[in-house]
Amino acid sequence: MPGPSGLVRARQGADGGAGRPAVGRAGRGRAPYRGLPVLRSALLALPGAVVLTTACVVAPRAVDRFGRRAALLVCHFSIAAGLLLPLLTTATGGTGRHIASTVVAGLGYGISFAVVADTAVAAVPAERVGSAGAIAETSNEIGNALGIALLGSLAAPVFRLGVPGLAPTLDEALQLPGLTPSVVTDARSAFVTGLHVVAATAGLLRLVLGLLTRRRLPREDVGGGAGRELGARATAKP
């Protein structure tokens, strides 16, 4: 099985050459996973997408039964676990671990999509519900952009330090003429090292967020329709 350096296409862009998954390029005939056809690439991403969608649907019922605090803890810690799983990958293998990472993290992201915005809406008076929803969605988009930019900027110098004087990205490095097998191996290893640094950083940040949630968010009575209260409390406030 190909390793992460063989799975993820690196591309130089506005983020200064940080390697990142080319999620949107399948529609232009290029597979988001190096060396794999578009259909197989889509199948690799399918398990995580199914788990994420299912978690979105099931999350309100889980909140009803276990409460928002428990749901958010599962959200943060499952995302953290999914982000840390790529640490088990190597330059020569890791497809199964990549899929496991998307599945575990997908559970947390699904809960996040279903619960976080509703929690923000429920925390404001009825006349500010629209503003709260807009702020929550805007914060999500800003967080995605900052995460890609900052973590991508962290991965790029790690790769360059691993293969100084080569090319700024793995994709460009592997296209250089006259590469020896040892240089190719070093480039792939440097890419995976950058992936590990980013995964560890993001995973630890999520763990901290989960611990803060566990410490700061008060326990609540469950079993009384906590999930339905996410919307009801927004209209009950003056």
Side-chain angles (χ1 to χ4, degrees), residues 16 67 87-88 99 208:
L87 294 177
L88 301 177
I99 295 174
V208 170

Side-chain angles (χ1 to χ4, degrees), residues 28-100:
R28 299 203 295 271
R30 297 179 66 184
Y33 297 104
R34 175 183 297 279
L36 297 181
V38 174
L39 178 58
R40 188 176 175 190
S41 298
L43 291 176
L44 287 176
L46 186 60
V50 169
V51 171
L52 188 151
T53 304
T54 303
C56 284
V57 174
V58 174
R61 298 179 184 177
V63 173
D64 278 340
R65 181 168 183 179
F66 302 107
R68 283 188 305 275
R69 182 177 185 272
L72 288 173
L73 287 175
V74 173
C75 163
H76 294 314
F77 288 128
S78 61
I79 292 176
L83 290 171
L84 292 173
L85 275 173
L87 294 177
L88 301 177
T89 60
T90 66
T92 57
T95 303
R97 295 161 199 154
H98 164 75
I99 295 174

Side-chain angles (χ1 to χ4, degrees), residues 102-177:
T102 64
V103 168
V104 176
L107 172 63
Y109 287 124
I111 296 173
S112 173
F113 295 155
V115 175
V116 172
D118 285 340
T119 302
V121 168
V124 300
E127 64 271 15
R128 296 183 181 176
V129 165
S131 297
I135 292 173
E137 181 61 25
T138 302
S139 299
N140 178 56
E141 297 301 329
I142 292 175
N144 288 336
L146 286 175
I148 292 172
L150 296 177
L151 293 177
S153 297
L154 177 63
V158 173
F159 174 77
R160 291 167 185 166
L161 287 173
V163 281
L166 199 57
T169 69
L170 176 65
D171 203 40
E172 292 175 307
L174 296 182
Q175 293 175 8
L176 295 175

Side-chain angles (χ1 to χ4, degrees), residues 5-29:
S5 59
L7 282 174
V8 184
R9 268 186 196 278
R11 179 176 178 268
Q12 183 174 3
D15 60 357
R20 59 177 179 267
V23 176
R25 274 177 269 167
R28 299 203 295 271

